[in-house]
Amino acid sequence: MCDHLPALHFGHQVDAVHWHPEHRLFEVDFTRLDADGRAASTGRAHTRHVVLGIGTEPHVPAPLRPLLNTPGAPVVHAADYLGHRDTLLAAGHITVVGSGQSGAEIFLDLLRHRPAGRERLTWIGRTEAFAPMEYSKLGLEHFTPDYTRYFHALPEPVRDRLVPAQWQLHKAIDADTLAAIHDELYRRTLHGGWPDTVLTPGVRVRAAERRPAHAIELHLEHTQQGASTRLTTDAVVLATGHRRRPLTPLLDGLAPHLRHDGRGRPRVDERHRLVMDPAVAAAGCHVHVQNAELHTHGVGTPDLGLAAWRSATILNTVTGKDTYPLPARTAFTTFGLREQQQRPRTPHPHRARALTPSADGI
Ligand SMILES: Cc1cc2nc3c(=O)[nH]c(=O)nc-3n(C[C@H](O)[C@H](O)[C@H](O)COP(=O)(O)OP(=O)(O)OC[C@H]3O[C@@H](n4cnc5c(N)ncnc54)[C@H](O)[C@@H]3O)c2cc1C
């Protein structure tokens, strides 16, 4: 395959990106990895444009980190669940931490594979309810370029208020999974019994420690009640989500050129470019980011549907033409009272060279 795509280099790890003021190009330092993932050689590439899509990684909240990489009862992030499923199912008591889609699917899978009346399962999460994900058709218009454009134009404090308030758009649980969990629990009551399960939302794990005899103790706090307790368990599944990989240290070399918002985050313009000082922008060189712009582009940032539109936007910007023509209108909802700016035309490459970020642009 690589014979046909000579510009693609797999097994290469990017280590650093710098700006070379004399060459007016970015320098990209990389390490070529061998088949075992070990460093084989290093190299440097020069480029006018960098498009970063370094993705997300499993997240473990600080109070739960002492459980990692220490021997004893299994503690597994949801990302590794399938590889450890048999070990988990063999444990006496299992706790699933996290009330999102992964937590729900793992709880359901464990429930279905434990004997009725002897399930010995606890499911806890921080959200105030095991809440359904917003999945109505008009609700899904929050995942359109029209909404992204509206969101991007909002003042920074409004955007920062909106993102956590919109958790039910993407972090909750799909209604079919919730129904399947309820059905499975209900089925287990039909012969007069009751499942040996505890399902409690609104609970935060304050601390966690390993105990003798291969047990784990979780210190729990119920936010609304102001109550706390300790739970002893034999296995923990951390369905605690994923976080974007930090742009540091990859972009540390660009730090003097990057423009930041009021909270020290990189400014990202509508075309997914990091806003940089005029010396770099005037050279027509840009760093585009994918999946690092939640604070500027909103909840649609990690959405796979919008990823196609974002990729087309980036490609059109880099090539300076409408390589992938994009529709001007993508939602039936009109977001906001002020007329929304239509999709900006793809800048011509020569005109793009003259573009500089405005002082208050993000
Ligand atoms: C459990 C889960 C469920 C999801 N469900 C949905 C869903 O139902 N619908 C939806 O729209 N979205 C969903 N998402 C979100 C969506 O899957 C992600 O946003 C998307 O896959 C991210 O793609 P990406 O290409 O940005 O990152 P990734 O797929 O993570 O790819 C990043 C790549 O960059 C490489 N990389 C990292 N650092 C370097 C470096 N220094 N040098 C070279 N390479 C590097 C990594 O090795 C990796 O190959 C889900 C995400 C998760 C975790």
Side-chain angles (χ1 to χ4, degrees):
M1 186 175 92
C2 289
D3 290 347
H4 304 291
L5 299 168
L8 292 184
H9 299 283
F10 295 101
H12 284 58
Q13 175 189 289
V14 175
D15 303 315
V17 181
H18 294 96
W19 172 245
H20 195 298
E22 285 81 42
H23 294 163
R24 289 157 66 89
L25 290 171
F26 293 112
E27 290 177 339
V28 180
D29 292 337
F30 60 83
T31 303
R32 192 174 62 78
L33 307 173
D34 66 17
D36 298 321
R38 286 188 300 249
S41 60
T42 57
R44 174 171 287 174
H46 294 88
T47 179
R48 288 181 60 212
H49 297 287
V50 176
V51 183
L52 276 181
I54 56 174
T56 57
E57 56 192 7
H59 170 70
V60 178
L64 288 153
R65 279 181 213 148
L67 300 180
L68 299 177
N69 305 320
T70 48
V75 176
V76 174
H77 191 274
D80 302 317
Y81 172 69
L82 285 180
H84 294 82
R85 186 166 172 263
D86 292 344
T87 313
L88 289 163
L89 280 169
H93 179 272
I94 315 171
T95 301
V96 179
V97 181
S99 43
Q101 184 65 26
S102 299
E105 286 184 25
I106 288 170
F107 177 76
L108 177 61
D109 188 58
L110 293 169
L111 179 63
R112 283 177 170 159
H113 291 89
R114 302 278 275 194
R118 288 181 289 123
E119 293 84 355
R120 303 196 63 206
L121 287 174
T122 292
W123 181 25
I124 51 175
R126 272 189 311 194
T127 53
E128 290 172 1
F130 294 116
M133 200 182 301
E134 163 67 64
Y135 222 70
S136 68
K137 288 186 178 180
L138 281 181
L140 285 177
E141 290 202 329
H142 285 89
F143 298 93
T144 56
D146 282 17
Y147 182 74
T148 306
R149 200 172 298 125
Y150 158 80
F151 182 90
H152 189 268
L154 291 171
E156 183 185 326
V158 180
R159 283 188 269 119
D160 285 345
R161 265 204 314 277
L162 272 176
V163 170
Q166 291 176 328
W167 65 275
Q168 246 173 300
L169 285 173
H170 65 130
K171 283 185 181 263
I173 305 167
D174 115 86
D176 287 348
T177 311
L178 287 173
I181 289 171
H182 195 276
D183 289 350
E184 186 63 37
L185 292 167
Y186 178 71
R187 199 175 62 76
R188 288 163 187 253
T189 67
L190 292 179
H191 302 292
W194 196 261
D196 185 5
T197 55
V198 176
L199 289 74
T200 312
V203 173
R204 188 174 77 91
V205 179
R206 215 164 24 83
E209 55 190 313
R210 290 193 179 270
R211 308 293 297 164
H214 303 294
I216 292 163
E217 195 170 74
L218 302 177
H219 302 213
L220 307 181
E221 186 177 71
H222 193 280
T223 325
Q224 290 174 354
Q225 282 183 323
S228 54
T229 188
R230 293 184 182 200
L231 169 71
T232 302
T233 187
D234 302 305
V236 178
V237 182
L238 301 168
T240 44
H242 286 66
R243 294 278 158 87
R244 70 167 176 83
R245 285 199 178 86
L247 296 177
T248 53
L250 214 58
L251 295 191
D252 281 355
L254 292 181
H257 302 288
L258 293 177
R259 294 291 160 90
H260 295 94
D261 69 9
R263 292 173 63 181
R265 297 163 299 194
R267 292 175 184 243
V268 187
D269 75 10
E270 200 181 336
R271 292 181 167 272
H272 305 272
R273 299 175 292 200
L274 295 180
V275 178
M276 305 184 76
D277 64 38
V280 179
C285 297
H286 296 283
V287 177
H288 292 77
V289 288
Q290 302 181 94
N291 230 341
E293 65 278 29
L294 185 69
H295 59 298
T296 50
H297 289 64
V299 288
T301 295
D303 183 75
L304 289 172
L306 277 171
W309 170 78
R310 180 178 60 195
S311 302
T313 302
I314 293 173
L315 197 73
N316 290 350
T317 306
V318 169
T319 57
K321 58 184 182 195
D322 280 346
T323 307
Y324 287 105
L326 292 169
R329 186 87 196 255
T330 50
F332 294 112
T333 311
T334 301
F335 295 102
L337 288 178
R338 280 196 298 273
E339 199 182 332
Q340 285 302 297
Q341 221 186 336
Q342 289 300 299
R343 180 177 67 87
R345 288 173 59 83
T346 297
H348 186 273
H350 300 303
R351 271 187 277 139
R353 285 170 107 50
L355 281 180
T356 51
S358 65
D360 58 351
I362 51 174

